Amino acid sequence: MAGEAGFGVVPIEVARTLDGLDLFRGLLEGRYPAPPITKALGFSLIEVEDGRVVFGYTPVFEHYNPLGSVHGGVAATLLDSVMGCCIHTRLKAGSGYTTVEIKVNYVRAMTDRTGPVRAEGKVINVGSRIATSEGRLTDASGKLLAHGTTTCLIFPI
């Protein structure tokens, strides 16, 4: 999952000098550490381009809720991550963002038998202060598991 740089946080002094696409290309190539959340939940960055990010994840029993499926918070976290990160790929150096609102629709449950899934985020619009994007979580056969939208606030870092 983590490249040569392991897991950690890109120092803010470095992050503020990179535009978002350069930062995410560096994460994908292992020049920068993978965020600790990716280790905790077992997901990884697998594709990056301008306005688009894809994470991979394989559902595990350890993420189950009391009713025997992967907790919906895992799907929400994957979607929140890809939807925010695809926005980040469009930001200029010295800019950051935070989620202001997220909407998730659950379509199918995930279990440890689901197999690998993809979370894909695509930008809808990036303005000077507000950005929106959408995300889809699908299984290996392309079946939709969950989808969502987000609104993010853009600010200087």
Side-chain angles (χ1 to χ4, degrees):
M1 264 178 264
E4 294 176 20
F7 295 97
V9 178
V10 177
I12 193 70
E13 309 79 49
V14 174
R16 73 169 44 112
T17 67
L18 301 167
D19 68 43
L21 189 55
D22 286 339
L23 174 65
F24 277 88
R25 285 181 176 151
L27 289 166
L28 184 63
E29 295 165 2
R31 289 184 282 126
Y32 304 117
I37 186 74
T38 63
K39 182 177 182 181
L41 290 182
F43 65 91
S44 59
L45 178 63
I46 58 174
E47 295 179 31
V48 172
E49 61 186 65
D50 183 34
R52 183 177 163 272
V53 169
V54 179
F55 289 147
Y57 165 74
T58 301
V60 294
F61 179 77
E62 291 78 8
H63 295 162
Y64 271 31
N65 61 32
L67 297 178
S69 63
V70 173
H71 191 282
V74 174
T77 299
L78 285 164
L79 288 168
D80 183 44
S81 296
V82 294
M83 292 186 299
C85 290
C86 72
I87 287 169
H88 198 159
T89 68
R90 292 270 178 95
L91 299 184
K92 297 176 184 171
S95 295
Y97 72 95
T98 192
T99 301
V100 176
E101 177 185 54
I102 181 173
K103 168 77 168 92
V104 176
N105 293 290
Y106 301 96
V107 178
R108 288 182 177 81
M110 286 188 287
T111 70
D112 57 0
R113 295 176 308 283
T114 300
V117 300
R118 289 172 53 96
E120 180 175 0
K122 292 182 180 179
V123 165
I124 296 171
N125 185 69
V126 177
S128 61
R129 300 277 296 151
I130 297 290
T132 55
S133 67
E134 60 191 0
R136 295 174 53 87
L137 183 63
T138 56
D139 70 11
S141 67
K143 285 184 182 174
L144 186 64
L145 303 170
H147 60 96
T149 56
T150 192
T151 302
C152 290
L153 176 68
I154 301 168
F155 53 85
I157 56 171

